[in-house]
Amino acid sequence: SSIAIAIHGGAGTISPQSMTSAQKLRYEAKLKQATDMGYNILAKGGSSIEAISAAVNVLEDSPLFNAGIGAVYTYDGAHELDASIMDGKTLNAGAVTGVKHIQNPINLARLVMTHSVHVMLSGEGAEEFALQQGMPLVANSTFDTERRYQSLLKAKQKLHDIKAKSKSGADYQANYVNWDNSYKMG
Amino acid sequence: TVGAVAVDKQGNIAAATSTGGMTAKRYGRIGDSPIIGAGTWADNDSCAVSATGHGEYFIRFNVASDICARVKYQGKDIQKASDEVIFGEMKQAGGTGGVIVVDAKGNVAMSFNTQGMYRAFRKQGQQAQVAIFK
């Protein structure tokens, strides 16, 4: 069969005007690195599962993307990570949600798929399973980046502004819902 | 959010998605990335999909699985099936984002209704192609 790999690093409000040439080059280099990493595994006869895991690891380890290091902040100033993986041959699948101390969540999702009888594990339970499988936990601060912190402050300031301009509780609720609907970009 | 889809020499396909969620999220909010069928799906008989974007919409429209169902049951190619879902009901409802897709023959499709999507692909015997904007 003909091998192929495709990757993404997120979509949304990015625009040519909001990115310098140097930034664009950094993104393109990392995307190419992740693609080539997966492709080389496929070219050597590796499985599609191995290839996509390795490619996603490259992106998780980069501060440029919203996954692993570089993940955005929750309202409380922490990071909660989610991941999933699926094997098209067997339809086996694994997923983890809301993990806070897993360096590469896709690796844990893969372990859920291959080493548990479940499909999805969440939060502390998922991390307990990681420990059982010999996967070390890391500090939540591992995922900190200044850029994402500034985004959190900006989002909170927006919330504060909505509160300040609202004339009543009902007014605040209506304004908040409007803002929230336009803001909830994953 | 990041993701990858691939087909190997045995013709087996797979999909993976990983994310930090959304800025300032509360209440243990979960988007589509860990939801099998919404943000991630793979079936050798149709295609493998990884999604990124407005998670609540990808969950409600079961995007990844829907694309593969159109391939499997309607015989559509992966680009057409992806465009139908990303630019169809989901966009009309207000959902934004995109997907990357491969099938067991080594075809690659990418579809997104936002200004840009960080993306790249590499087919057999070719160099990687990288793009960000439309």
Side-chain angles (χ1 to χ4, degrees):
Chain A
S1 187
S2 231
I3 61 171
I5 183 167
I7 67 162
H8 70 76
T13 55
I14 47 176
S15 69
Q17 295 77 29
S18 66
M19 188 179 278
T20 65
S21 302
Q23 285 173 325
K24 188 165 178 276
L25 286 175
R26 272 203 298 278
Y27 276 100
E28 288 173 345
K30 190 55 71 174
L31 290 166
K32 185 176 184 308
Q33 182 191 343
T35 307
D36 288 342
M37 173 74 82
Y39 182 89
N40 290 337
I41 290 170
L42 295 171
K44 289 175 186 165
S47 72
S48 51
I49 288 285
E50 289 167 339
I52 59 172
S53 300
V56 168
N57 283 167
V58 170
L59 301 173
E60 286 178 332
D61 291 341
S62 165
L64 294 174
F65 305 100
N66 179 21
I69 296 167
V72 298
Y73 287 79
T74 64
Y75 188 84
D76 296 327
H79 307 277
E80 285 180 4
L81 312 177
D82 310 320
S84 67
I85 191 165
M86 186 165 183
D87 181 347
K89 180 184 179 187
T90 60
L91 301 189
N92 283 338
V96 293
T97 70
V99 294
K100 295 181 176 177
H101 306 96
I102 304 296
Q103 179 108 33
N104 293 104
I106 201 66
N107 297 354
L108 183 56
R110 187 174 167 187
L111 278 176
V112 171
M113 177 173 75
T114 56
H115 286 69
S116 86
V117 295
H118 308 295
V119 169
M120 181 184 283
L121 300 179
S122 70
E124 290 175 7
E127 294 185 350
E128 180 72 25
F129 174 73
L131 283 174
Q132 281 181 3
Q133 295 298 316
M135 181 178 281
L137 303 187
V138 298
N140 194 250
S141 59
T142 302
F143 310 111
D144 287 354
T145 54
E146 182 60 24
R147 181 170 70 111
R148 301 299 191 190
Y149 183 61
Q150 291 304 320
S151 296
L152 174 65
L153 296 183
K154 201 172 155 189
K156 283 193 162 184
Q157 182 61 47
K158 184 75 182 170
L159 202 57
H160 180 267
D161 293 347
I162 289 170
K163 204 169 193 173
K165 78 169 186 185
S166 301
K167 294 175 185 131
S168 64
D171 193 27
Y172 169 71
Q173 212 159 34
N175 288 333
Y176 176 81
V177 168
N178 281 338
W179 170 75
D180 204 33
N181 277 339
S182 63
Y183 188 72
K184 59 181 181 185
M185 172 68 75
Chain B
T1 304
V2 306
V5 292
V7 52
D8 60 29
K9 285 182 177 174
Q10 282 68 48
N12 295 319
I13 62 176
T17 312
S18 182
T19 191
M22 54 178 279
T23 302
K25 69 174 181 173
R26 287 194 276 190
Y27 321 118
R29 178 264 187 189
I30 302 291
D32 63 303
S33 295
I35 311 289
I36 301 299
T40 303
W41 184 260
D43 178 354
N44 275 8
D45 291 340
S46 54
C47 57
V49 178
S50 173
T52 176
H54 201 152
E56 281 71 8
Y57 286 90
F58 279 75
I59 293 171
R60 288 163 59 199
F61 289 95
N62 199 31
V63 165
S65 163
D66 188 8
I67 290 169
C68 293
R70 288 166 196 251
V71 173
K72 189 171 185 174
Y73 299 116
Q74 298 181 332
K76 289 174 178 163
D77 68 58
I78 54 176
Q79 188 66 58
K80 182 171 174 55
S82 304
D83 288 345
E84 279 183 0
V85 175
I86 295 300
F87 291 98
E89 298 100 320
M90 194 188 75
K91 191 183 181 192
Q92 285 161 25
T96 54
V99 292
I100 53 170
V101 189
V102 298
D103 64 21
K105 294 173 186 163
N107 296 309
V108 172
M110 296 177 163
S111 184
F112 55 99
N113 62 28
T114 47
Q115 265 194 299
M117 179 168 79
Y118 299 104
R119 61 198 188 278
F121 69 92
R122 188 170 175 186
K123 292 181 176 180
Q124 186 156 332
Q126 299 178 9
Q127 289 301 305
Q129 296 194 43
V130 182
I132 299 175
F133 307 108
K134 277 185 179 167

